[in-house]
Amino acid sequence: MNLKKVLSPDAVWVDLKADSKQGVIEEMIDRLVASGKISDRDAVLTAVLEREAKMSTGMQNGVAIPHGKSDSVKSLVAAVGLHKEGVKFDSMDGSPCTIFIMTISPTKRTGPHIQFLAEVSRLISQPAEREKLLAARTHGEIYEILTGK
Amino acid sequence: MLKSALVALLFTAASLGAAFAESTETHQGTAQSEIHAAAEAEVPHHHGEISDGHEQHEATHADEHVEEHEAHSITHLMMHLILQLAVIIVAAKIGGYIFQKFLKMPSVLGELASGMVIGPYALGKLIDIPTLGLLFPLNTVHDFAASPQLYGIATLASIILLFLAGLETDLAAFIRYSVVGSFVGLGGLVAAFVIGDLVAVMWPGNGIDSFMDPAALFLGVISVATSVGITARILAEKRKMASPEGVTILAGAVFDDVFGIITLAIVMGMAKVSAGEGVAWGPICMIALKAIGFFVVVTALGLIFSRKITALIKRFKSKDMIVAVCFGLALLLASLAEMAGLAMIIGAYIMGLALSRTDLAHEIEHHLEGVYNILVPIFFCVMGMMVDFIAMKPVLAFGAVYSILAVFSKVVGCGVPAFMMKFNLRGSLRIGLGMLPRGEVALIVAGIGLAGGVIGPEMFGVAIMMTVITTMLAPPLLVKSFEGGSGLRTEMAGGEEDIEVIELEFPSYDITEFLLNRFVRALQAEEFFVHHLHTEQPTYRVLKDDIAFTLVEEDNKLIINVPHANQHVARMILLEELLSLTDLLESTKQMKDVDKMGTDLMQGMFA
């Protein structure tokens, strides 16, 4: 899968700042609102939090994949953010999360929504790639690492 | 299986009842017509113009006429047909059941075997029914083992079979997938055709001396069509469907289907032209062009207009109507194909292929399933009935060689391209063996050849022999070949053989089934191609770009066989569907109190 088709350079951030689970989710959504990718902030936030309530999307090795479905987006919106210090995210292995992959997908449209999450997860499941990503200093570097292949 | 056996039994009981009622009715009818004939015979007497001798002669003639009339009256013929069908359906279903359940062989073989047993060359000539004669007499008019009316039903069954085969073809996946698959399919096709034809030419004493002899061409085309159902079942059982070999075999088989049909179209045309003396290349090329042209043009038109046509048909709003009209169209195209000098099954297949891309495909498949289960075994049973054991005696050696070469041609024809692409010897052998079994289409083609007089009963027997041998050989050989390591060349392997098995067990079959359906829908929403394979266990092949995995439902378990590299996507999509179950639980809580609903439902029923 070509990640470039889904991920745009203005939706990768190296500097997430919030210090709580809800905070990180809100911050990512706010940034997507600011770049004009999302119009209805509250609807999207509710969708993502509802999904988190069912089961936390904090995985292992510091990776989290918060996502949700909402009709306020017309096509898949994707973002990747880093939080160098790490945030507690109720992850499976209990460790704080540093890499956040977010998707918001329309409820009725078909498309590779979960597949995007899976592809990024697959990429960063390799320790070397994960470390490379965490060492990134600029937004552009993250984008390069994720889409360079 | 038990269910369909039961249905067949009920169906038979009904037709036996019908035949019995018909028989009584015919007797009454005969009595009436005797009176009528007697009255008629008396007519000249009243006129007093004919001598006594003449009178007697007229009377005897009238009697004979009545008897003959009775034997050929439509009701009598139909009664005979219904009785034959009764016996055929039960025998075929029981044969199929025994083969599938106890011998672990495809039911087709059992249906064929029961046909051989009850046919006119075996038990059939011993079953003599008073007032009716032989149950399965030889059709002396057409020198054929089945009456025209019985063969008509078998023909209808073959059309349904090919219509459904076309409908199930995953054309998009076929176009997008696997260069290796298409080379493997094409290699097997060419090798099987050429070797099948050549062995007929080279074998001394069978009267075939030219590559272009229609009988040789038919023996070539009969050995082409792979029946991948049995391979799919074994791959599923051995958890090898998502392996590189499995994916290649299944892609190759789709290719084999489509191009096998085109080859048949060409050969049908060629056989008609080259029936005379010498080889007329000009007309043959024309025929080949016409056959390919018909296939390509009609399929293209079908694909382009199928959505428009189905949109039109959908205006009927009733599913029954929609399915019936689509089936009617399949029959129409079948007869058009025959008129164009091709075979009816080709038209039926094209109609299926055209509709396979529409949203009606699943609906039509589902609705025709019942008809398929009853009619298609009749077809195979009738094919079995046509095996003339005595005619086969002199060609047994030829049959054995033809069958062995049919094994060889697929193993080499499919194995070599596989070896040249990315597989090692082991992998290539697996692929060749996977493409080995011939089945339904081979039988249909052989039947067409026999009915058209292109091949005689002995060559028909040889074709059946080859089908049976290849189908029986494939499972043990394939299982054996999958022992051992990777089938990919070392430099290509790269851990691809690494198949993860994800197993989820649920408390009940209903929940398993429910989640399976949700998962399939979610995969489709993610734009995966999900292909339902007709194996004993519900099995799905999931494809998208370079991702391929399989999904099997086994009792209360959902089993996913996925290459290690693709496990993320399978696991994540499945997780989302599992979580959606909680939504469902929530919403059931919001339902009115179930007790109250139940009480409302039963209120007043026992007042």
PDB file of all heavy atoms in Angstrom, chain A residues 51 54-55 65 67 110-115 117-119 121-122 125, chain B residues 524-528 544 547 565 568-569 572-573 575-576 579 582-583:
ATOM      1  N   ARG A  51     -14.493   4.719  20.557  1.00  0.00           N
ATOM      2  CA  ARG A  51     -13.696   3.548  20.197  1.00  0.00           C
ATOM      3  C   ARG A  51     -12.712   3.208  21.328  1.00  0.00           C
ATOM      4  O   ARG A  51     -12.511   2.027  21.657  1.00  0.00           O
ATOM      5  CB  ARG A  51     -12.972   3.821  18.863  1.00  0.00           C
ATOM      6  CG  ARG A  51     -11.913   2.818  18.456  1.00  0.00           C
ATOM      7  CD  ARG A  51     -12.481   1.425  18.222  1.00  0.00           C
ATOM      8  NE  ARG A  51     -11.423   0.443  18.008  1.00  0.00           N
ATOM      9  CZ  ARG A  51     -10.716  -0.115  18.989  1.00  0.00           C
ATOM     10  NH1 ARG A  51     -10.975   0.177  20.236  1.00  0.00           N
ATOM     11  NH2 ARG A  51      -9.767  -0.981  18.713  1.00  0.00           N
ATOM     12  N   LYS A  54     -14.223   1.231  24.144  1.00  0.00           N
ATOM     13  CA  LYS A  54     -14.440  -0.207  23.940  1.00  0.00           C
ATOM     14  C   LYS A  54     -13.177  -0.975  24.279  1.00  0.00           C
ATOM     15  O   LYS A  54     -13.225  -2.025  24.906  1.00  0.00           O
ATOM     16  CB  LYS A  54     -14.794  -0.469  22.473  1.00  0.00           C
ATOM     17  CG  LYS A  54     -16.232  -0.147  22.136  1.00  0.00           C
ATOM     18  CD  LYS A  54     -16.489  -0.540  20.695  1.00  0.00           C
ATOM     19  CE  LYS A  54     -17.559   0.328  20.086  1.00  0.00           C
ATOM     20  NZ  LYS A  54     -17.506   0.297  18.628  1.00  0.00           N
ATOM     21  N   MET A  55     -12.062  -0.470  23.799  1.00  0.00           N
ATOM     22  CA  MET A  55     -10.777  -1.100  24.096  1.00  0.00           C
ATOM     23  C   MET A  55      -9.694  -0.095  23.720  1.00  0.00           C
ATOM     24  O   MET A  55      -9.759   0.483  22.633  1.00  0.00           O
ATOM     25  CB  MET A  55     -10.612  -2.372  23.247  1.00  0.00           C
ATOM     26  CG  MET A  55      -9.309  -3.086  23.492  1.00  0.00           C
ATOM     27  SD  MET A  55      -9.112  -4.436  22.300  1.00  0.00           S
ATOM     28  CE  MET A  55      -7.392  -4.798  22.502  1.00  0.00           C
ATOM     29  N   ILE A  65      -2.890   3.552  18.224  1.00  0.00           N
ATOM     30  CA  ILE A  65      -3.573   3.804  16.951  1.00  0.00           C
ATOM     31  C   ILE A  65      -4.999   4.326  17.179  1.00  0.00           C
ATOM     32  O   ILE A  65      -5.976   3.684  16.785  1.00  0.00           O
ATOM     33  CB  ILE A  65      -3.604   2.524  16.073  1.00  0.00           C
ATOM     34  CG1 ILE A  65      -4.089   1.315  16.899  1.00  0.00           C
ATOM     35  CG2 ILE A  65      -2.238   2.230  15.482  1.00  0.00           C
ATOM     36  CD1 ILE A  65      -4.416   0.089  16.043  1.00  0.00           C
ATOM     37  N   HIS A  67      -8.437   5.753  16.578  1.00  0.00           N
ATOM     38  CA  HIS A  67      -9.157   5.964  15.316  1.00  0.00           C
ATOM     39  C   HIS A  67     -10.656   5.945  15.555  1.00  0.00           C
ATOM     40  O   HIS A  67     -11.116   5.544  16.623  1.00  0.00           O
ATOM     41  CB  HIS A  67      -8.770   4.894  14.294  1.00  0.00           C
ATOM     42  CG  HIS A  67      -9.044   3.492  14.748  1.00  0.00           C
ATOM     43  ND1 HIS A  67      -8.150   2.791  15.528  1.00  0.00           N
ATOM     44  CD2 HIS A  67     -10.107   2.680  14.582  1.00  0.00           C
ATOM     45  CE1 HIS A  67      -8.652   1.594  15.789  1.00  0.00           C
ATOM     46  NE2 HIS A  67      -9.849   1.516  15.236  1.00  0.00           N
ATOM     47  N   THR A 110     -16.309   2.875   1.290  1.00  0.00           N
ATOM     48  CA  THR A 110     -15.330   1.808   1.423  1.00  0.00           C
ATOM     49  C   THR A 110     -13.940   2.370   1.127  1.00  0.00           C
ATOM     50  O   THR A 110     -13.804   3.405   0.507  1.00  0.00           O
ATOM     51  CB  THR A 110     -15.608   0.678   0.419  1.00  0.00           C
ATOM     52  OG1 THR A 110     -15.478   1.211  -0.891  1.00  0.00           O
ATOM     53  CG2 THR A 110     -16.976   0.098   0.596  1.00  0.00           C
ATOM     54  N   GLY A 111     -12.934   1.702   1.606  1.00  0.00           N
ATOM     55  CA  GLY A 111     -11.565   2.163   1.369  1.00  0.00           C
ATOM     56  C   GLY A 111     -10.624   1.504   2.340  1.00  0.00           C
ATOM     57  O   GLY A 111     -11.056   0.887   3.323  1.00  0.00           O
ATOM     58  N   PRO A 112      -9.339   1.619   2.078  1.00  0.00           N
ATOM     59  CA  PRO A 112      -8.357   0.936   2.917  1.00  0.00           C
ATOM     60  C   PRO A 112      -8.122   1.685   4.231  1.00  0.00           C
ATOM     61  O   PRO A 112      -7.064   2.251   4.440  1.00  0.00           O
ATOM     62  CB  PRO A 112      -7.104   0.919   2.045  1.00  0.00           C
ATOM     63  CG  PRO A 112      -7.248   2.092   1.152  1.00  0.00           C
ATOM     64  CD  PRO A 112      -8.702   2.360   0.977  1.00  0.00           C
ATOM     65  N   HIS A 113      -9.132   1.718   5.101  1.00  0.00           N
ATOM     66  CA  HIS A 113      -9.028   2.508   6.330  1.00  0.00           C
ATOM     67  C   HIS A 113      -8.185   1.811   7.383  1.00  0.00           C
ATOM     68  O   HIS A 113      -7.179   2.330   7.841  1.00  0.00           O
ATOM     69  CB  HIS A 113     -10.421   2.842   6.843  1.00  0.00           C
ATOM     70  CG  HIS A 113     -11.246   3.549   5.817  1.00  0.00           C
ATOM     71  ND1 HIS A 113     -12.613   3.475   5.766  1.00  0.00           N
ATOM     72  CD2 HIS A 113     -10.884   4.296   4.761  1.00  0.00           C
ATOM     73  CE1 HIS A 113     -13.063   4.177   4.741  1.00  0.00           C
ATOM     74  NE2 HIS A 113     -12.019   4.682   4.112  1.00  0.00           N
ATOM     75  N   ILE A 114      -8.671   0.624   7.770  1.00  0.00           N
ATOM     76  CA  ILE A 114      -7.917  -0.128   8.778  1.00  0.00           C
ATOM     77  C   ILE A 114      -6.571  -0.552   8.170  1.00  0.00           C
ATOM     78  O   ILE A 114      -5.562  -0.654   8.846  1.00  0.00           O
ATOM     79  CB  ILE A 114      -8.697  -1.375   9.232  1.00  0.00           C
ATOM     80  CG1 ILE A 114     -10.074  -0.990   9.759  1.00  0.00           C
ATOM     81  CG2 ILE A 114      -7.916  -2.158  10.286  1.00  0.00           C
ATOM     82  CD1 ILE A 114     -10.082  -0.241  11.044  1.00  0.00           C
ATOM     83  N   GLN A 115      -6.607  -0.786   6.843  1.00  0.00           N
ATOM     84  CA  GLN A 115      -5.380  -1.239   6.197  1.00  0.00           C
ATOM     85  C   GLN A 115      -4.252  -0.218   6.368  1.00  0.00           C
ATOM     86  O   GLN A 115      -3.091  -0.583   6.504  1.00  0.00           O
ATOM     87  CB  GLN A 115      -5.628  -1.499   4.711  1.00  0.00           C
ATOM     88  CG  GLN A 115      -4.576  -2.423   4.119  1.00  0.00           C
ATOM     89  CD  GLN A 115      -4.582  -2.433   2.612  1.00  0.00           C
ATOM     90  OE1 GLN A 115      -5.539  -1.984   1.984  1.00  0.00           O
ATOM     91  NE2 GLN A 115      -3.529  -2.947   2.030  1.00  0.00           N
ATOM     92  N   LEU A 117      -3.804   1.783   8.972  1.00  0.00           N
ATOM     93  CA  LEU A 117      -3.282   1.576  10.336  1.00  0.00           C
ATOM     94  C   LEU A 117      -2.367   0.352  10.365  1.00  0.00           C
ATOM     95  O   LEU A 117      -1.287   0.378  10.964  1.00  0.00           O
ATOM     96  CB  LEU A 117      -4.431   1.341  11.306  1.00  0.00           C
ATOM     97  CG  LEU A 117      -5.318   2.530  11.642  1.00  0.00           C
ATOM     98  CD1 LEU A 117      -6.466   2.080  12.519  1.00  0.00           C
ATOM     99  CD2 LEU A 117      -4.499   3.599  12.370  1.00  0.00           C
ATOM    100  N   ALA A 118      -2.845  -0.695   9.691  1.00  0.00           N
ATOM    101  CA  ALA A 118      -2.087  -1.946   9.704  1.00  0.00           C
ATOM    102  C   ALA A 118      -0.733  -1.790   9.014  1.00  0.00           C
ATOM    103  O   ALA A 118       0.272  -2.311   9.488  1.00  0.00           O
ATOM    104  CB  ALA A 118      -2.903  -3.047   9.031  1.00  0.00           C
ATOM    105  N   GLU A 119      -0.748  -1.059   7.905  1.00  0.00           N
ATOM    106  CA  GLU A 119       0.503  -0.890   7.157  1.00  0.00           C
ATOM    107  C   GLU A 119       1.535  -0.111   7.967  1.00  0.00           C
ATOM    108  O   GLU A 119       2.707  -0.476   8.019  1.00  0.00           O
ATOM    109  CB  GLU A 119       0.237  -0.165   5.833  1.00  0.00           C
ATOM    110  CG  GLU A 119      -0.481  -1.000   4.797  1.00  0.00           C
ATOM    111  CD  GLU A 119       0.392  -2.099   4.208  1.00  0.00           C
ATOM    112  OE1 GLU A 119       1.608  -1.905   4.106  1.00  0.00           O
ATOM    113  OE2 GLU A 119      -0.169  -3.158   3.857  1.00  0.00           O
ATOM    114  N   SER A 121       1.548   0.195  11.200  1.00  0.00           N
ATOM    115  CA  SER A 121       1.928  -0.649  12.343  1.00  0.00           C
ATOM    116  C   SER A 121       2.955  -1.674  11.925  1.00  0.00           C
ATOM    117  O   SER A 121       3.897  -1.967  12.653  1.00  0.00           O
ATOM    118  CB  SER A 121       0.716  -1.388  12.899  1.00  0.00           C
ATOM    119  OG  SER A 121      -0.294  -0.487  13.169  1.00  0.00           O
ATOM    120  N   ARG A 122       2.738  -2.234  10.736  1.00  0.00           N
ATOM    121  CA  ARG A 122       3.659  -3.250  10.251  1.00  0.00           C
ATOM    122  C   ARG A 122       5.061  -2.646  10.087  1.00  0.00           C
ATOM    123  O   ARG A 122       6.048  -3.235  10.485  1.00  0.00           O
ATOM    124  CB  ARG A 122       3.167  -3.790   8.910  1.00  0.00           C
ATOM    125  CG  ARG A 122       4.074  -4.851   8.329  1.00  0.00           C
ATOM    126  CD  ARG A 122       3.375  -5.586   7.229  1.00  0.00           C
ATOM    127  NE  ARG A 122       3.325  -4.795   6.011  1.00  0.00           N
ATOM    128  CZ  ARG A 122       3.858  -5.213   4.858  1.00  0.00           C
ATOM    129  NH1 ARG A 122       4.466  -6.362   4.811  1.00  0.00           N
ATOM    130  NH2 ARG A 122       3.765  -4.471   3.789  1.00  0.00           N
ATOM    131  N   SER A 125       6.660  -2.029  13.389  1.00  0.00           N
ATOM    132  CA  SER A 125       6.833  -3.195  14.264  1.00  0.00           C
ATOM    133  C   SER A 125       8.285  -3.670  14.185  1.00  0.00           C
ATOM    134  O   SER A 125       8.727  -4.448  15.020  1.00  0.00           O
ATOM    135  CB  SER A 125       5.863  -4.313  13.861  1.00  0.00           C
ATOM    136  OG  SER A 125       6.199  -4.787  12.578  1.00  0.00           O
TER     137      SER A 125
ATOM    138  N   GLN B 524     -14.532  -6.542   2.676  1.00  0.00           N
ATOM    139  CA  GLN B 524     -14.995  -5.972   1.412  1.00  0.00           C
ATOM    140  C   GLN B 524     -15.035  -4.449   1.488  1.00  0.00           C
ATOM    141  O   GLN B 524     -14.717  -3.768   0.517  1.00  0.00           O
ATOM    142  CB  GLN B 524     -16.362  -6.538   1.025  1.00  0.00           C
ATOM    143  CG  GLN B 524     -16.243  -7.951   0.484  1.00  0.00           C
ATOM    144  CD  GLN B 524     -17.553  -8.699   0.449  1.00  0.00           C
ATOM    145  OE1 GLN B 524     -18.498  -8.361   1.165  1.00  0.00           O
ATOM    146  NE2 GLN B 524     -17.624  -9.731  -0.378  1.00  0.00           N
ATOM    147  N   ALA B 525     -15.405  -3.936   2.663  1.00  0.00           N
ATOM    148  CA  ALA B 525     -15.430  -2.482   2.833  1.00  0.00           C
ATOM    149  C   ALA B 525     -14.017  -1.908   2.743  1.00  0.00           C
ATOM    150  O   ALA B 525     -13.831  -0.752   2.360  1.00  0.00           O
ATOM    151  CB  ALA B 525     -16.064  -2.126   4.166  1.00  0.00           C
ATOM    152  N   GLU B 526     -13.030  -2.723   3.090  1.00  0.00           N
ATOM    153  CA  GLU B 526     -11.640  -2.284   2.986  1.00  0.00           C
ATOM    154  C   GLU B 526     -11.098  -2.553   1.577  1.00  0.00           C
ATOM    155  O   GLU B 526      -9.891  -2.526   1.342  1.00  0.00           O
ATOM    156  CB  GLU B 526     -10.773  -3.018   4.013  1.00  0.00           C
ATOM    157  CG  GLU B 526     -11.027  -2.587   5.436  1.00  0.00           C
ATOM    158  CD  GLU B 526     -10.215  -1.366   5.857  1.00  0.00           C
ATOM    159  OE1 GLU B 526      -9.089  -1.192   5.386  1.00  0.00           O
ATOM    160  OE2 GLU B 526     -10.731  -0.572   6.670  1.00  0.00           O
ATOM    161  N   GLU B 527     -12.006  -2.909   0.689  1.00  0.00           N
ATOM    162  CA  GLU B 527     -11.699  -3.153  -0.730  1.00  0.00           C
ATOM    163  C   GLU B 527     -10.838  -4.389  -0.978  1.00  0.00           C
ATOM    164  O   GLU B 527     -10.045  -4.441  -1.908  1.00  0.00           O
ATOM    165  CB  GLU B 527     -11.097  -1.903  -1.378  1.00  0.00           C
ATOM    166  CG  GLU B 527     -12.118  -0.777  -1.426  1.00  0.00           C
ATOM    167  CD  GLU B 527     -11.568   0.544  -1.916  1.00  0.00           C
ATOM    168  OE1 GLU B 527     -10.334   0.697  -1.930  1.00  0.00           O
ATOM    169  OE2 GLU B 527     -12.367   1.413  -2.273  1.00  0.00           O
ATOM    170  N   PHE B 528     -11.050  -5.396  -0.131  1.00  0.00           N
ATOM    171  CA  PHE B 528     -10.420  -6.689  -0.394  1.00  0.00           C
ATOM    172  C   PHE B 528     -11.363  -7.485  -1.293  1.00  0.00           C
ATOM    173  O   PHE B 528     -12.573  -7.278  -1.256  1.00  0.00           O
ATOM    174  CB  PHE B 528     -10.215  -7.476   0.910  1.00  0.00           C
ATOM    175  CG  PHE B 528      -9.011  -7.048   1.680  1.00  0.00           C
ATOM    176  CD1 PHE B 528      -9.067  -5.954   2.521  1.00  0.00           C
ATOM    177  CD2 PHE B 528      -7.829  -7.755   1.575  1.00  0.00           C
ATOM    178  CE1 PHE B 528      -7.950  -5.548   3.236  1.00  0.00           C
ATOM    179  CE2 PHE B 528      -6.708  -7.361   2.291  1.00  0.00           C
ATOM    180  CZ  PHE B 528      -6.761  -6.260   3.121  1.00  0.00           C
ATOM    181  N   LYS B 544      -5.828  -8.903  -1.982  1.00  0.00           N
ATOM    182  CA  LYS B 544      -5.721  -7.495  -2.346  1.00  0.00           C
ATOM    183  C   LYS B 544      -4.247  -7.220  -2.614  1.00  0.00           C
ATOM    184  O   LYS B 544      -3.409  -7.491  -1.767  1.00  0.00           O
ATOM    185  CB  LYS B 544      -6.210  -6.600  -1.213  1.00  0.00           C
ATOM    186  CG  LYS B 544      -6.232  -5.137  -1.591  1.00  0.00           C
ATOM    187  CD  LYS B 544      -6.836  -4.325  -0.460  1.00  0.00           C
ATOM    188  CE  LYS B 544      -6.961  -2.886  -0.856  1.00  0.00           C
ATOM    189  NZ  LYS B 544      -7.488  -2.063   0.230  1.00  0.00           N
ATOM    190  N   ILE B 547      -1.441  -8.966  -0.866  1.00  0.00           N
ATOM    191  CA  ILE B 547      -1.900  -9.615   0.368  1.00  0.00           C
ATOM    192  C   ILE B 547      -2.833 -10.763  -0.009  1.00  0.00           C
ATOM    193  O   ILE B 547      -3.719 -10.593  -0.839  1.00  0.00           O
ATOM    194  CB  ILE B 547      -2.675  -8.619   1.256  1.00  0.00           C
ATOM    195  CG1 ILE B 547      -1.805  -7.412   1.571  1.00  0.00           C
ATOM    196  CG2 ILE B 547      -3.165  -9.294   2.528  1.00  0.00           C
ATOM    197  CD1 ILE B 547      -2.549  -6.310   2.307  1.00  0.00           C
ATOM    198  N   ALA B 565       3.771 -11.541   7.185  1.00  0.00           N
ATOM    199  CA  ALA B 565       3.889 -10.138   6.808  1.00  0.00           C
ATOM    200  C   ALA B 565       2.537  -9.432   6.715  1.00  0.00           C
ATOM    201  O   ALA B 565       2.457  -8.211   6.809  1.00  0.00           O
ATOM    202  CB  ALA B 565       4.614 -10.042   5.467  1.00  0.00           C
ATOM    203  N   HIS B 568      -0.918  -8.073  10.352  1.00  0.00           N
ATOM    204  CA  HIS B 568      -1.434  -6.867  10.994  1.00  0.00           C
ATOM    205  C   HIS B 568      -2.830  -6.520  10.519  1.00  0.00           C
ATOM    206  O   HIS B 568      -3.721  -6.269  11.312  1.00  0.00           O
ATOM    207  CB  HIS B 568      -0.500  -5.678  10.720  1.00  0.00           C
ATOM    208  CG  HIS B 568       0.757  -5.725  11.498  1.00  0.00           C
ATOM    209  ND1 HIS B 568       1.855  -6.447  11.070  1.00  0.00           N
ATOM    210  CD2 HIS B 568       1.099  -5.174  12.677  1.00  0.00           C
ATOM    211  CE1 HIS B 568       2.821  -6.328  11.959  1.00  0.00           C
ATOM    212  NE2 HIS B 568       2.394  -5.553  12.953  1.00  0.00           N
ATOM    213  N   VAL B 569      -2.982  -6.497   9.202  1.00  0.00           N
ATOM    214  CA  VAL B 569      -4.256  -6.061   8.652  1.00  0.00           C
ATOM    215  C   VAL B 569      -5.374  -7.034   9.015  1.00  0.00           C
ATOM    216  O   VAL B 569      -6.472  -6.629   9.403  1.00  0.00           O
ATOM    217  CB  VAL B 569      -4.135  -5.801   7.128  1.00  0.00           C
ATOM    218  CG1 VAL B 569      -3.992  -7.055   6.327  1.00  0.00           C
ATOM    219  CG2 VAL B 569      -5.311  -4.982   6.635  1.00  0.00           C
ATOM    220  N   MET B 572      -6.176  -6.590  12.768  1.00  0.00           N
ATOM    221  CA  MET B 572      -6.813  -5.327  13.126  1.00  0.00           C
ATOM    222  C   MET B 572      -8.260  -5.257  12.653  1.00  0.00           C
ATOM    223  O   MET B 572      -9.130  -4.781  13.373  1.00  0.00           O
ATOM    224  CB  MET B 572      -6.015  -4.167  12.540  1.00  0.00           C
ATOM    225  CG  MET B 572      -4.783  -3.871  13.365  1.00  0.00           C
ATOM    226  SD  MET B 572      -3.927  -2.468  12.691  1.00  0.00           S
ATOM    227  CE  MET B 572      -2.681  -2.206  13.917  1.00  0.00           C
ATOM    228  N   ILE B 573      -8.501  -5.734  11.436  1.00  0.00           N
ATOM    229  CA  ILE B 573      -9.881  -5.698  10.934  1.00  0.00           C
ATOM    230  C   ILE B 573     -10.762  -6.612  11.789  1.00  0.00           C
ATOM    231  O   ILE B 573     -11.880  -6.277  12.150  1.00  0.00           O
ATOM    232  CB  ILE B 573      -9.948  -6.078   9.443  1.00  0.00           C
ATOM    233  CG1 ILE B 573      -9.172  -5.047   8.619  1.00  0.00           C
ATOM    234  CG2 ILE B 573     -11.388  -6.160   8.963  1.00  0.00           C
ATOM    235  CD1 ILE B 573      -9.084  -5.346   7.149  1.00  0.00           C
ATOM    236  N   LEU B 575     -10.271  -7.428  14.885  1.00  0.00           N
ATOM    237  CA  LEU B 575     -10.470  -6.810  16.204  1.00  0.00           C
ATOM    238  C   LEU B 575     -11.626  -5.809  16.162  1.00  0.00           C
ATOM    239  O   LEU B 575     -12.493  -5.802  17.038  1.00  0.00           O
ATOM    240  CB  LEU B 575      -9.184  -6.091  16.644  1.00  0.00           C
ATOM    241  CG  LEU B 575      -9.355  -5.238  17.898  1.00  0.00           C
ATOM    242  CD1 LEU B 575      -9.561  -6.106  19.128  1.00  0.00           C
ATOM    243  CD2 LEU B 575      -8.170  -4.302  18.109  1.00  0.00           C
ATOM    244  N   GLU B 576     -11.640  -4.982  15.118  1.00  0.00           N
ATOM    245  CA  GLU B 576     -12.716  -3.983  15.021  1.00  0.00           C
ATOM    246  C   GLU B 576     -14.077  -4.662  14.973  1.00  0.00           C
ATOM    247  O   GLU B 576     -15.034  -4.196  15.574  1.00  0.00           O
ATOM    248  CB  GLU B 576     -12.521  -3.101  13.785  1.00  0.00           C
ATOM    249  CG  GLU B 576     -11.312  -2.196  13.835  1.00  0.00           C
ATOM    250  CD  GLU B 576     -11.221  -1.336  15.098  1.00  0.00           C
ATOM    251  OE1 GLU B 576     -12.211  -0.654  15.416  1.00  0.00           O
ATOM    252  OE2 GLU B 576     -10.164  -1.366  15.767  1.00  0.00           O
ATOM    253  N   LEU B 579     -15.023  -5.930  18.379  1.00  0.00           N
ATOM    254  CA  LEU B 579     -15.463  -4.837  19.240  1.00  0.00           C
ATOM    255  C   LEU B 579     -16.867  -4.372  18.867  1.00  0.00           C
ATOM    256  O   LEU B 579     -17.626  -3.920  19.725  1.00  0.00           O
ATOM    257  CB  LEU B 579     -14.479  -3.667  19.154  1.00  0.00           C
ATOM    258  CG  LEU B 579     -13.107  -3.946  19.753  1.00  0.00           C
ATOM    259  CD1 LEU B 579     -12.176  -2.773  19.536  1.00  0.00           C
ATOM    260  CD2 LEU B 579     -13.209  -4.269  21.247  1.00  0.00           C
ATOM    261  N   THR B 582     -19.801  -5.550  20.844  1.00  0.00           N
ATOM    262  CA  THR B 582     -20.234  -4.888  22.078  1.00  0.00           C
ATOM    263  C   THR B 582     -21.327  -3.861  21.777  1.00  0.00           C
ATOM    264  O   THR B 582     -22.258  -3.690  22.546  1.00  0.00           O
ATOM    265  CB  THR B 582     -19.056  -4.189  22.784  1.00  0.00           C
ATOM    266  OG1 THR B 582     -18.446  -3.321  21.834  1.00  0.00           O
ATOM    267  CG2 THR B 582     -18.042  -5.165  23.312  1.00  0.00           C
ATOM    268  N   ASP B 583     -21.202  -3.192  20.603  1.00  0.00           N
ATOM    269  CA  ASP B 583     -22.265  -2.271  20.198  1.00  0.00           C
ATOM    270  C   ASP B 583     -23.590  -3.001  20.109  1.00  0.00           C
ATOM    271  O   ASP B 583     -24.632  -2.519  20.547  1.00  0.00           O
ATOM    272  CB  ASP B 583     -21.961  -1.692  18.801  1.00  0.00           C
ATOM    273  CG  ASP B 583     -20.885  -0.632  18.871  1.00  0.00           C
ATOM    274  OD1 ASP B 583     -20.585  -0.191  19.996  1.00  0.00           O
ATOM    275  OD2 ASP B 583     -20.344  -0.266  17.814  1.00  0.00           O
TER     276      ASP B 583
END
